[in-house]
Amino acid sequence: MKKKTRYTGLGFPVDLIGVKTREFRGEAIPDINHRELEDQVFKILLWLPSHFSGAHLGFVRGYMGLSQKEFASMLGLKTHTTISGWEGKDDKVTGMQGTTEVIIRLIMAEFIKEDSFAPHFKEFLEVNNPPKNLELKVA
């Protein structure tokens, strides 16, 4: 069984399995490329089958280099206060609507050019004009 090392340098715990460590001031520190770790964690959060915690959301926003105000604007929010409240939940679930999480994940997928993430959502969002009439075959 490979050794697990808990890393908290991203604002939330990440268990690293089989990572080499080195001693620094009496503490075992993972010997990792931090940028590669951030890239991998961002992708994991994109596909994570659960709701974001406040810490996850803060990481996602920071990874994309956005201020709370810029992020709020992307989500159609008037101020950054909602983003601040969600991120303030720390390790608890943000409480945002599921549709908002879907939009955030679509933004994330676009940011890293992840073409395999929910292409049907992208198609839906690219429709400019809704049809004038809906057709329904009744049996």
Side-chain angles (χ1 to χ4, degrees), residues 39-69:
D39 293 345
Q40 290 179 14
V41 167
F42 189 85
K43 287 179 184 176
I44 288 169
L45 289 175
L46 171 64
W47 293 95
L48 190 69
S50 66
H51 296 288
F52 289 130
S53 71
H56 291 155
L57 189 66
F59 169 79
V60 165
R61 181 183 58 76
Y63 182 90
M64 294 190 296
L66 298 170
S67 68
Q68 288 183 342
K69 185 176 180 181

Side-chain angles (χ1 to χ4, degrees), residues 23-122:
E23 190 85 14
F24 182 73
R25 295 185 182 171
E27 186 179 347
I29 299 189
D31 189 11
I32 55 173
N33 178 319
H34 200 268
R35 182 58 194 190
E36 287 178 9
L37 176 64
E38 287 178 339
D39 293 345
Q40 290 179 14
V41 167
F42 189 85
K43 287 179 184 176
I44 288 169
L45 289 175
L46 171 64
W47 293 95
L48 190 69
S50 66
H51 296 288
F52 289 130
S53 71
H56 291 155
L57 189 66
F59 169 79
V60 165
R61 181 183 58 76
Y63 182 90
M64 294 190 296
L66 298 170
S67 68
Q68 288 183 342
K69 185 176 180 181
E70 291 167 328
F71 200 37
S73 178
M74 289 178 83
L75 297 173
L77 302 171
K78 291 182 182 178
T79 69
H80 73 284
T81 307
T82 302
I83 303 294
S84 179
W86 288 336
E87 291 181 5
K89 301 280 185 174
D90 296 323
D91 64 342
K92 308 268 187 301
V93 174
T94 63
M96 72 176 71
Q97 295 289 323
T99 51
T100 304
E101 281 205 31
V102 169
I103 291 168
I104 290 170
R105 290 173 198 264
L106 287 169
I107 292 168
M108 292 169 67
E110 183 70 26
F111 185 80
I112 61 170
K113 314 247 183 298
E114 178 65 61
D115 295 331
S116 63
F117 183 81
H120 55 282
F121 286 123
K122 288 182 184 178

